[in-house]
């Protein structure tokens, strides 16, 4: 398991005081057209006596007063208990024995958050920033070994996956691959994200990327992922979503929110590029 997962268990305890698939394919026109609220933020009226500061998280007052934060915290702890048993994020063969447990714990967290006072993802500023994939039960994702499909090449495997959402509507995915057990390749995928009309489904569309050692690889045809039931826990540290790819047993994805600089620190430690993917002339620290 990535060392960046450490701290999730401790963070889940803050819930009580914190209420304040991917599938490769041709990049088609976006089907989720609504942008994140941050990209359409409007100035408060001049006569507004108490405008919300940028990035404010507006919880529903009525729901907050009756919401069971303890039940949510307990459900998060059960998810974390399963995650700590993974050596990666669930795509390696031996890890799949934990899929039933991870699936059940994610289902329970979804149920516990049914009346969450948190804003919808489309209106939630906590979505923006860096996230690390720390667990999945997606069979199709595991079959490809990650985002690009290159994780199933001989002697190659997925090491880490990061997703960064920007207020501009841009999204960047970084896929770290290991070769003979050493993380030596970074694929960077670039695109945009949006939501459905209800603001619960999120779609990421990647149009270009530094993949397979080539900058803006013309052979790479893009990728699209759509997730439903997207939820962010009350402390903002954990995000879950279920693959919306038509599969009868849609897989769960679990992400951990990273503090600013954590992802960059990981890439620096592994001597991988901080900007762009691993290409000729851009191989990271020496």
């Amino acid at each position: 398991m990535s060392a960046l997962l450490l701290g999730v268990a401790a963070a889940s305890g803050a819930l009580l005081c914190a209420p304040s698939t991917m599938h490769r394919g041709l990049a088609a026109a976006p089907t989720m057209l609504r942008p994140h609220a941050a990209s359409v933020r409007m100035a408060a009226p001049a006569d507004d006596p108490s405008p919300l500061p940028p990035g404010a998280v507006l919880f529903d007052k009525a729901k907050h007063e009756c919401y069971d934060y303890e039940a949510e915290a307990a459900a998060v702890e059960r998810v974390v208990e399963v995650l700590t048993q993974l050596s990666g994020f669930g795509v390696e063969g031996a890890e799949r024995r934990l899929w039933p447990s991870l699936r059940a714990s994610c289902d329970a967290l979804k149920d516990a958050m049914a009346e969450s006072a948190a804003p919808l993802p489309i209106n939630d500023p906590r979505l923006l920033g860096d996230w690390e994939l720390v667990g999945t039960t997606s069979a199709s994702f595991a079959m490809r070994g990650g985002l690009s499909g290159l994780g199933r090449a001989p002697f190659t495997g997925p090491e880490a996956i990061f997703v960064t959402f920007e207020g501009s509507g841009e999204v960047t995915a970084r896929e770290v691959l290991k070769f003979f057990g050493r993380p030596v390749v970074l694929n960077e995928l670039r695109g945009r994200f949006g939501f459905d009309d209800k603001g619960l489904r999120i779609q990421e569309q990647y149009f270009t990327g530094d993949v397979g050692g080539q900058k803006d690889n013309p052979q790479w045809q893009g990728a699209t992922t759509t997730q439903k039931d997207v939820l962010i826990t009350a402390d903002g540290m954990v995000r879950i979503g279920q693959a919306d790819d038509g599969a009868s047993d849609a897989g769960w994805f679990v992400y951990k929110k990273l503090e600013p600089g954590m992802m960059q620190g990981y890439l620096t430690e592994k001597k991988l590029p901080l900007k762009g993917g691993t290409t000729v002339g851009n191989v990271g620290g020496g």
Side-chain angles (χ1 to χ4, degrees), residues 53-286:
V57 182
L58 187 62
F59 279 67
D60 185 281
K61 182 178 179 181
K63 287 185 176 181
H64 163 63
E65 292 175 349
C66 60
Y67 183 60
D68 192 343
Y69 287 97
E70 290 187 12
E72 179 185 315
V76 171
E77 288 182 2
R78 288 193 290 271
V79 172
V80 172
E81 286 175 2
V82 180
L83 294 176
T84 56
Q85 300 177 59
L86 299 175
S87 58
F89 46 83
V91 299
E92 301 294 348
E95 296 179 317
R96 301 186 193 187
R97 64 180 177 81
L98 295 170
W99 280 5
S101 297
L102 184 56
R103 186 181 301 115
S105 62
C106 287
D107 287 341
L109 178 56
K110 174 187 172 183
D111 292 341
M113 295 184 65
E115 298 300 325
S116 173
L120 295 176
I122 191 173
N123 297 320
D124 197 335
R126 299 175 303 167
L127 176 69
L128 305 181
D130 301 327
W131 296 84
E132 181 190 7
L133 178 66
V134 292
T136 184
T137 64
S138 171
S140 59
F141 195 82
M143 180 179 65
R144 288 187 305 279
L147 302 176
S148 65
L150 299 180
R152 284 292 173 249
F155 312 112
T156 305
E159 173 73 12
I161 291 177
F162 305 98
V163 180
T164 301
F165 297 102
E166 304 283 354
S168 62
E170 296 176 313
V171 60
T172 303
R174 295 172 175 87
E175 174 188 63
V176 179
L177 300 180
K178 56 188 176 183
F179 188 65
F180 284 106
R182 296 181 57 224
V184 295
V185 175
L186 173 65
N187 293 321
E188 183 182 272
L189 316 182
R190 299 176 290 272
R192 299 191 64 79
F193 72 100
F195 299 82
D196 66 352
D197 288 338
K198 294 183 178 179
L200 288 171
R201 282 181 168 84
I202 183 172
Q203 185 175 83
E204 303 159 30
Q205 288 202 325
Y206 298 97
F207 305 108
T208 185
D210 303 339
V211 180
Q214 295 189 52
K215 182 175 176 59
D216 298 321
N217 191 333
Q219 302 301 315
W220 187 68
Q221 296 181 320
T224 300
T225 178
T226 305
Q227 292 182 12
K228 61 183 179 179
D229 300 326
V230 177
L231 298 167
I232 299 176
T233 55
D235 64 350
M237 290 297 298
V238 177
R239 173 170 59 92
I240 63 172
Q242 201 166 18
D244 191 15
D245 56 6
S248 58
D249 184 18
W252 280 105
F253 290 82
V254 185
Y255 300 86
K256 177 196 169 185
K257 184 66 177 287
L258 302 181
E259 295 294 332
M262 287 185 67
M263 178 183 68
Q264 290 78 4
Y266 169 89
L267 296 175
T268 298
E269 177 188 351
K270 302 301 181 182
K271 299 182 179 180
L272 295 169
L274 295 178
K275 184 175 179 58
T278 304
T279 59
V280 176
N282 191 42
V283 295

Side-chain angles (χ1 to χ4, degrees), residues 33-54:
L33 299 180
R34 295 186 64 189
H36 188 270
S39 64
V40 291
R41 183 178 291 123
M42 299 177 65
D47 58 351
D48 186 344
S50 57
L52 290 173

